[in-house]
């Protein structure tokens, strides 16, 4: 009888200890919660390659130094820009875009260049599904190979042979003509073809980043995944939206932050966050702390903060509280000098 009475007490103690551990872990990585809401200090983020997107042109390159000054002199190691998707000649790339980034990259060893590459022209013209479907099928059949071959050759010629290429980003949504939803099978075949063309360019050392937007958009983004052999990094663009949705909900939603890291782990890939920032919930330091804690836990290959209104903190005066959190994590502390 003694052993029968002791066992329930032991089991109960073990259960309570497990609940306590889970609760503490949840509070640590659920910054919108009670415990995190009270924490106002900086969240250090050492060892994670970080950048600010401040513009695609040469002026955007120059602004990186201004952001570093705002951060208290701490260097940013990621340069992130986008190819225009209006016409194929721009998707092929130009010296005016590549050369300033190449010089920036060469100024300090270890810098990383990330380039978003549209998969179709007229990429932001709101093409209907039938036109998108036709474009994806032409791409899958090889009609656009020459454009991507030219792009790869120009990147190598401009000393950007080790670029991370984010092909057809946010394909699970409706914003871009290179979206996946109208024909997922053709989209995947097309992605695979583009990677094969770029990998065949002499001298290249590209890495390919598959990056949907967070959550369930127009299509569940795993349906668009083209295969482990053609993907090096699994990214996620993750803004603070919709309105009223907490960071905890962004963690646990379908195809959200937690799903993303599980998916990447299952496929043996590291993660990245090419775009993130504020949006529908205003100046929200709890969200920013949540994202930075998430990065500290899962160590992405890189993360880039989108810095223009309404997303930003350096270039957007409406978000001062979030800005202090960012400076605490990426700078020398929350007492960094002002924006000028």
């Amino acid at each position: 009888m003694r052993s029968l009475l002791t066992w329930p007490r032991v089991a109960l103690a073990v259960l309570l200890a497990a609940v306590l551990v889970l609760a503490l872990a949840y509070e640590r990585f659920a910054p919108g919660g009670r415990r995190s809401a009270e924490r106002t200090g900086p969240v250090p983020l050492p060892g994670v390659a970080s950048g600010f997107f401040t513009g695609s042109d040469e002026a955007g390159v120059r602004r990186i130094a201004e952001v570093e000054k705002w951060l208290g002199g701490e260097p940013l190691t990621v340069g992130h820009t986008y190819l225009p998707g209006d016409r194929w000649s721009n998707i092929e790339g130009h010296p005016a875009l590549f050369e300033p980034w190449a010089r920036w990259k060469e100024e300090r060893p270890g810098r990383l260049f990330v380039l978003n590459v549209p998969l179709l022209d007229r990429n932001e013209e709101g093409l209907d599904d039938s036109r998108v479907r036709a474009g994806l099928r032409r791409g899958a059949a090889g009609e656009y190979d020459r454009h991507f071959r030219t792009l790869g050759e120009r990147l190598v010629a401009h000393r950007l042979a080790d670029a991370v290429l984010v092909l057809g980003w946010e394909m699970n949504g409706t914003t871009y003509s290179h979206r996946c939803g109208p024909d997922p099978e053709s989209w995947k075949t097309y992605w695979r073809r583009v990677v094969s063309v770029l990998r065949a360019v002499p001298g290249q050392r590209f890495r390919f980043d598959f990056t949907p937007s967070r959550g369930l958009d127009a299509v569940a983004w795993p349906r668009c995944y083209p295969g482990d052999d053609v993907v090096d990094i699994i990214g996620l663009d993750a803004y603070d939206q919709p309105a009223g949705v907490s960071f905890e909900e962004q963690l646990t939603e379908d195809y959200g932050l937690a799903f993303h890291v599980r998916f990447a782990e299952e496929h043996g890939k590291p993660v990245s966050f090419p775009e993130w920032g504020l949006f529908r919930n205003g100046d929200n330091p709890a969200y920013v702390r949540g994202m930075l804690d998430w990065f500290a836990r899962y160590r992405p290959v890189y993360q880039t903060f989108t810095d223009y209104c309404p997303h930003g903190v350096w270039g957007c005066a409406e978000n001062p509280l979030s800005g202090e959190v960012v400076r605490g994590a990426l700078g020398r502390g929350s007492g960094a000098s002002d924006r000028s």
Side-chain angles (χ1 to χ4, degrees), residues 6-333:
T6 302
W7 169 246
R9 294 193 186 100
V10 173
L12 179 60
V14 171
L15 178 61
L16 290 174
V19 170
L20 177 60
V21 169
L22 288 172
L24 290 173
Y26 179 75
E27 286 184 343
R28 172 72 179 95
F29 293 105
R34 181 183 65 257
R35 182 185 179 97
S36 297
E38 295 169 357
R39 177 163 56 83
T40 58
V43 184
L45 194 66
V48 174
S50 299
F52 271 56
F53 175 73
T54 59
S56 292
D57 55 7
E58 188 169 3
V61 180
R62 292 195 302 269
R63 291 187 193 107
I64 293 177
E66 299 177 46
V67 176
E68 290 174 332
K69 179 182 176 182
W70 178 77
L71 290 170
E74 289 299 289
L76 295 170
T77 56
V78 179
H80 184 188
T81 193
Y82 300 74
L83 288 171
D86 53 346
R87 59 188 64 145
W88 282 112
S89 60
N90 283 330
I91 296 173
E92 292 175 349
H94 290 284
L97 178 67
F98 292 155
E99 189 59 30
W101 286 107
R103 291 195 300 267
W104 173 85
K105 188 174 181 296
E106 290 170 338
E107 286 172 359
R108 182 176 288 123
R111 284 177 168 174
L112 177 68
F113 178 63
V114 179
L115 180 67
N116 278 45
V117 179
L119 291 180
L120 291 175
D121 65 342
R122 297 180 295 167
N123 198 37
E124 297 184 42
E125 293 185 13
L127 301 185
D128 62 32
D129 283 355
S130 63
R131 291 185 179 183
V132 169
R133 189 177 301 112
L136 294 176
R137 291 176 179 176
R138 286 196 294 269
E143 186 171 327
Y144 308 134
D145 287 4
R146 66 189 186 280
H147 302 300
F148 295 102
R149 187 177 302 109
T150 298
L151 168 63
E153 291 169 349
R154 288 178 176 174
L155 285 167
V156 171
H158 286 87
R159 307 161 335 269
L160 296 169
D162 60 347
V164 173
L165 304 182
V166 187
L167 303 180
W169 70 99
E170 298 182 13
M171 77 299 294
N172 55 322
T174 59
T175 301
Y176 301 110
S177 297
H178 63 214
R179 61 189 182 271
C180 166
D183 192 341
E185 293 307 313
S186 292
W187 196 93
K188 290 185 287 188
T189 301
Y190 183 23
W191 167 290
R192 297 182 63 84
R193 187 168 192 112
V194 170
V195 170
S196 69
V197 168
L198 287 165
R199 282 180 173 168
V201 172
Q204 67 80 28
R205 305 188 307 279
F206 304 134
R207 285 181 288 174
F208 298 95
D209 190 329
F210 170 84
T211 297
S213 57
R214 195 202 78 236
L216 177 61
D217 206 323
V219 61
W221 55 260
R223 291 185 60 199
C224 309
Y225 187 68
D228 292 343
D229 58 324
V230 289
V231 172
D232 299 298
I233 303 166
I234 297 178
L236 197 71
D237 286 351
Y239 290 95
D240 187 19
Q241 62 175 342
V245 172
S246 68
F247 181 77
E248 292 87 342
E249 292 171 297
Q250 296 179 32
L251 282 179
T252 59
E253 69 179 336
D254 291 343
Y255 312 108
L257 290 163
F259 180 91
H260 168 237
V261 295
R262 288 198 305 271
F263 186 90
E265 288 170 357
E266 290 168 0
H267 290 266
K269 306 296 180 182
V271 299
S272 71
F273 294 87
E275 296 183 27
W276 72 283
L278 302 163
F279 198 9
R280 304 291 185 186
N281 295 299
D283 188 5
N284 188 357
Y287 160 80
V288 174
R289 286 191 200 99
M291 291 295 290
L292 293 169
D293 276 345
W294 198 248
F295 301 159
R297 181 177 184 181
Y298 289 104
R299 317 302 294 177
V301 175
Y302 67 94
Q303 62 90 11
T304 310
F305 192 87
T306 300
D307 203 87
Y308 54 84
C309 286
H311 310 303
V313 291
W314 171 77
C316 195
E318 289 85 348
N319 301 314
L321 299 178
S322 297
E324 288 302 301
V325 176
V326 171
R327 288 201 288 184
L330 302 182
R332 291 179 179 168

